[in-house]
Amino acid sequence: MTDTLAPSPSGTGPYFGAYGGRWVPEPLVAALDELSAAWDELRVDPGFRDELAALHRDYTGRPSPLTEVPRFAQHAGGARVFLKREDLNHTGSHKINNVLGQALLTRKIGKKRVIAETGAGQHGVATATAAALFGLDCTIYMGEVDTDRQALNVARMRLLGAEVVPVTSGSRTLKDAINEAMRDWVTNVATTTYIFGTAAGPHPFPAMVRDLQRIIGDEARAQMLERTGALPDAVLACVGGGSNAIGIFTAFLDDPGVALWGLEAGGDGADTPRTAATISVGRPGVLHGARSYVLQDEDGQTVESHSVSAGLDYPGVGPEHAFLADSGRATYRAVTDAAAMDALRLLSRTEGIIPAIESAHALAGALEVGRELGPDATLLINLSGRGDKDTTTVARWFDLVDRGAVQE
Amino acid sequence: MTGSVVEARIRAAKQERAGALVGYLPIGYPDLATSIEAAITLTRHGVDVLELGLPYSDPVMDGPAIQAATTKALGNGFRLRHAFEAVREITRASPDVPVLCMTYYNPVLSYGVERFAADLRAAGGAGLITPDLVPDEAGEWLAASDAEGLDRVFLAAPTSSEQRIRRATELSRGFTYVVSTMGITGARSDVDSAARTLVERLRDVTDEPLAVGLGISTGQQVAEVLGYADGAIVGSRLVSALGEGLDALADAADGLAEGTRRR
């Protein structure tokens, strides 16, 4: 059994090289201190680890399988390709790994209400699920653009008993949902925990979310060794805020022979204004409580990001990714909307697996990297979520539905 | 530290009256020229210290009134250089009223902290209020503000530990911003009793000026706050008034300034 909360080679924060920290209003510092202290205790507490392990096993359905995809791999230069199937988790993505841990933490510090931001809705659904499971009040902030394009997930959250608040400020996407959740938290911090969805934000979130997501890579590393007798040549994951990527990268950070690839949302192209490729084209700054790469103009105003994928449509990125990019340990590359959608369709047709649009960015990256590495290579892709939520977007993109059958 | 014009102005107001009125308006709302005129109007209607907000894309401490105004300013083409232009014009027109800029930190970081400090000073600005910069992360700004002799206002909150309160007051220059209540900017019917308690905690560790902000919107509230603090900070009420025009703004400022008369 792997030690799923083992220390990361990148450390426990608050800083990852020049990145991370706490760039927040003073009223939030006490709550962040409270979370840090509680997490420092819990992560080494055997009772907590047993309880979390039981939830992973009996509720989420872990360990998630490792699936080899040979028909898809034919399009990736003939390399062997394996998928880490986070799409098969309860609630449909890797987000549940993080949420269950933070919900247990919320219970430990005695708070009764949780809030969360969500982009694609996967983190919101996972948080609403955990809130139902633990009997917590739950409010989810979601940009109005995203409540429209992910309407099914809004319905799921409401069905689970959460209040969903469409956010109408700014670009009305994930970044504005985070702003609104932070405003709620500043106001209600005495009763409320903010269950942050990605490995970004102020300390301790980047380290805590990473610790809770590293189970992906810990499992996958052992599964690869068992299945192939060797480590993969490359590990690939999509990066928005970066929680699924850091979750699978962490187990391989000390394996120098394993290349780590983060695939960012290129939108129309990283060389166009309509992109969300933060590391590829952004520069260091402060956003949402952490110093990291930010898509910003010359005045330091955040630039609106664009991606067909709501979950990657974010102008920031977790600070540990900024650190791994600068150090060269991981490489980040942008994948366009069109390339991601083609990869989504390819996996669907060759393997009978419909991935989330987010995860399809990693698949598209693997098609490129596989061709570059050649037929002897072995690739491990984090399939972070399933595509059910994206059916409407995909149907419109590929014109799959008879005229009149999709309501505007 | 001596030499802060903001501190001097607040101490004088406390001597002559019940205390100081700190008035907030965002630069560029509803447009740059009107925002400059509006700030000058405040200096002529009882505001002792100006707090000029720099519009920012992600203002997590601001409520709906100020968000709407700064979003409009950004939509109208606010650029950082306009802030320095505005400070220059306002301090030229009203040299006796010190001007602090309220800014989220990324624009400062992006501009270059030293360069920002030098240009702000050259424009006649007194310093910065930094709502999302805590002393823990402020090393570069502490050095730059020392080098330029600028004031720096950190926040103290009801949830701040004794150690953090002490550090905020030690490092602040001009005044320490006492966050009256847990929340964001915007008018409230009653200013939290937490403000009085927090001012008492701060008084135990500092003799430097303390100004209370968040939720203050009437002359009566200004008077109440000045019963235990040195300054009262008003933002959303003034922004809403400016939405109705400069005359409404002047009336609102007069009403708030009533609260600074010694009772």
Side-chain angles (χ1 to χ4, degrees):
Chain A
M1 179 72 195
T2 50
D3 184 356
T4 60
L5 295 173
S8 165
S10 294
T12 55
Y15 300 101
F16 303 93
Y19 304 105
R22 274 186 188 167
W23 306 78
V24 295
E26 174 68 22
L28 289 181
V29 171
L32 294 168
D33 279 342
E34 182 185 32
L35 281 182
S36 290
W39 181 240
D40 286 346
E41 267 184 54
L42 274 190
R43 64 186 297 277
V44 295
D45 176 60
F48 166 77
R49 293 162 69 143
D50 287 350
E51 194 168 5
L52 186 59
L55 284 168
H56 282 328
R57 184 185 64 234
D58 304 333
Y59 191 70
T60 306
R62 301 204 74 90
S64 63
L66 187 75
T67 304
E68 184 164 11
V69 285
R71 278 168 46 75
F72 177 83
Q74 287 172 9
H75 301 265
R80 289 187 80 181
V81 177
F82 293 84
L83 305 181
K84 178 61 174 166
R85 301 292 305 278
E86 294 297 302
D87 61 315
L88 294 177
N89 293 341
H90 179 45
T91 72
S93 80
H94 70 292
K95 294 292 188 186
I96 192 76
N97 303 331
N98 167 44
V99 162
L100 289 174
Q102 290 200 52
L104 288 174
L105 181 84
T106 301
R107 201 182 58 187
K108 176 181 167 65
I109 59 182
K111 294 186 177 173
K112 303 286 185 222
R113 176 175 180 261
V114 293
I115 58 172
E117 83 295 344
T118 196
Q122 293 302 94
H123 176 58
V125 167
T127 304
T129 298
L133 180 65
F134 289 96
L136 302 165
D137 290 336
C138 179
T139 301
I140 304 294
Y141 291 95
M142 189 169 185
E144 198 179 40
V145 169
D146 296 330
T147 56
D148 289 345
R149 63 180 161 179
Q150 305 287 348
L152 279 178
N153 269 343
V154 175
R156 291 168 77 195
M157 289 182 267
R158 289 182 175 147
L159 185 61
L160 290 159
E163 180 192 4
V164 180
V165 180
V167 175
T168 57
S169 58
S171 60
R172 297 175 292 132
T173 60
L174 180 55
K175 97 176 167 67
D176 308 284
I178 294 174
N179 292 339
E180 210 52 41
M182 284 198 171
R183 293 183 186 113
D184 181 317
W185 203 29
V186 168
T187 308
N188 299 301
V189 69
T191 59
T192 299
T193 298
Y194 183 1
I195 297 192
F196 204 67
T198 192
H203 179 71
F205 289 116
M208 178 167 67
V209 175
R210 186 265 327 272
D211 291 346
L212 288 166
Q213 291 290 4
R214 70 165 295 166
I215 191 169
I216 303 171
D218 287 335
E219 286 179 4
R221 191 175 183 280
Q223 287 166 321
M224 288 297 293
L225 286 171
E226 187 190 329
R227 193 78 62 86
T228 70
L231 293 173
D233 298 296
V235 174
L236 304 98
C238 65
V239 177
S243 70
N244 91 81
I246 208 68
I248 198 163
F249 286 178
T250 298
F252 297 96
L253 284 175
D254 283 341
D255 297 320
V258 179
L260 304 176
W261 288 90
L263 289 311
E264 297 195 299
D268 289 352
D271 54 349
T272 75
R274 291 180 56 82
T275 185
T278 304
I279 293 177
S280 302
V281 300
R283 61 190 170 89
V286 166
L287 177 66
H288 294 146
R291 186 166 187 159
S292 186
Y293 281 83
V294 179
L295 290 179
Q296 55 184 317
D297 70 10
E298 65 275 19
D299 273 2
Q301 306 284 353
T302 311
V303 172
E304 285 183 23
S305 56
H306 291 278
S307 169
V308 67
S309 149
L312 304 181
D313 197 351
Y314 181 56
V317 66
E320 191 173 344
H321 286 295
F323 167 68
L324 293 175
D326 281 11
S327 73
R329 178 64 190 94
T331 308
Y332 297 81
R333 186 182 279 187
V335 168
T336 63
D337 287 351
M341 295 301 267
D342 285 348
L344 181 151
R345 183 168 61 180
L346 182 65
L347 187 73
S348 302
R349 291 187 173 182
T350 55
E351 302 287 349
I353 298 170
I354 300 175
I357 299 174
E358 289 76 18
S359 318
H361 287 71
L363 295 166
L367 295 174
E368 286 182 13
V369 171
R371 287 167 199 150
E372 289 161 19
L373 293 180
D376 295 336
T378 304
L379 308 184
L380 169 64
I381 304 169
N382 193 11
L383 200 74
S384 54
R386 62 178 174 241
D388 309 38
K389 68 184 174 60
D390 296 317
T391 307
T392 306
T393 305
V394 174
R396 284 193 186 130
W397 185 276
F398 290 117
D399 201 14
L400 299 179
V401 181
D402 297 334
R403 192 163 295 280
V406 174
Q407 291 188 342
E408 282 303 320
Chain B
M1 181 164 177
T2 55
S4 162
V5 287
V6 171
E7 179 180 343
R9 180 83 188 195
I10 292 175
R11 288 199 189 282
K14 193 73 187 168
Q15 286 238 309
E16 296 157 11
R17 293 169 278 129
L21 177 62
V22 180
Y24 167 97
L25 284 176
I27 300 169
Y29 172 76
D31 56 70
L32 183 62
T34 310
S35 69
I36 292 168
E37 210 179 328
I40 293 168
T41 301
L42 290 188
T43 67
R44 292 169 184 166
H45 290 268
V47 165
D48 298 289
V49 176
L50 275 175
E51 178 187 350
L52 291 185
L54 273 53
Y56 174 57
S57 52
D58 296 276
V60 293
M61 272 294 280
D62 285 313
I66 291 176
Q67 274 184 58
T70 54
T71 301
K72 182 164 184 182
L74 287 168
N76 285 347
F78 169 82
R79 305 305 303 176
L80 218 44
R81 66 171 187 280
H82 297 149
F84 301 110
E85 288 171 30
V87 170
R88 185 171 285 114
E89 287 199 40
I90 293 161
T91 51
R92 191 180 294 150
S94 303
D96 295 337
V97 175
V99 174
L100 293 166
C101 286
M102 195 292 299
T103 181
Y104 293 89
Y105 199 56
N106 198 50
V108 179
L109 206 55
S110 169
Y111 195 83
V113 179
E114 282 181 25
R115 180 176 162 229
F116 194 101
D119 287 3
L120 180 62
R121 178 164 172 256
L128 291 183
I129 300 171
T130 49
D132 63 349
L133 182 69
V134 290
D136 319 47
E137 306 285 4
E140 217 181 335
W141 165 234
L142 294 178
S145 51
D146 281 343
E148 298 294 341
L150 290 171
D151 285 344
R152 52 192 183 222
V153 175
F154 292 106
L155 277 56
T159 51
S160 301
S161 65
E162 297 310 315
Q163 190 190 357
R164 296 191 64 80
I165 279 177
R166 192 178 293 274
R167 190 153 164 75
T169 56
E170 280 169 6
L171 293 176
S172 288
R173 194 155 59 213
F175 62 89
T176 301
Y177 193 123
V178 181
V179 177
S180 68
T181 183
M182 295 303 289
I184 53 179
T185 60
R188 287 179 178 77
S189 56
D190 58 349
V191 175
D192 211 295
S193 65
R196 185 188 295 267
T197 310
L198 180 55
V199 167
E200 285 166 5
R201 290 174 62 206
L202 285 155
R203 270 289 162 251
D204 287 343
V205 298
T206 188
D207 296 322
E208 303 292 314
L210 303 174
V212 174
L214 294 199
I216 303 170
S217 62
T218 67
Q220 178 61 35
Q221 288 173 326
V222 169
E224 280 169 27
V225 162
L226 294 182
Y228 53 85
D230 305 301
I233 307 167
V234 182
S236 297
R237 171 75 188 96
L238 294 170
V239 174
S240 299
L242 177 56
E244 295 161 31
L246 288 169
D247 289 344
L249 178 70
D251 288 347
D254 286 338
L256 293 162
E258 275 299 311
T260 68
R261 313 273 181 261
R262 198 180 286 284
R263 284 172 299 162

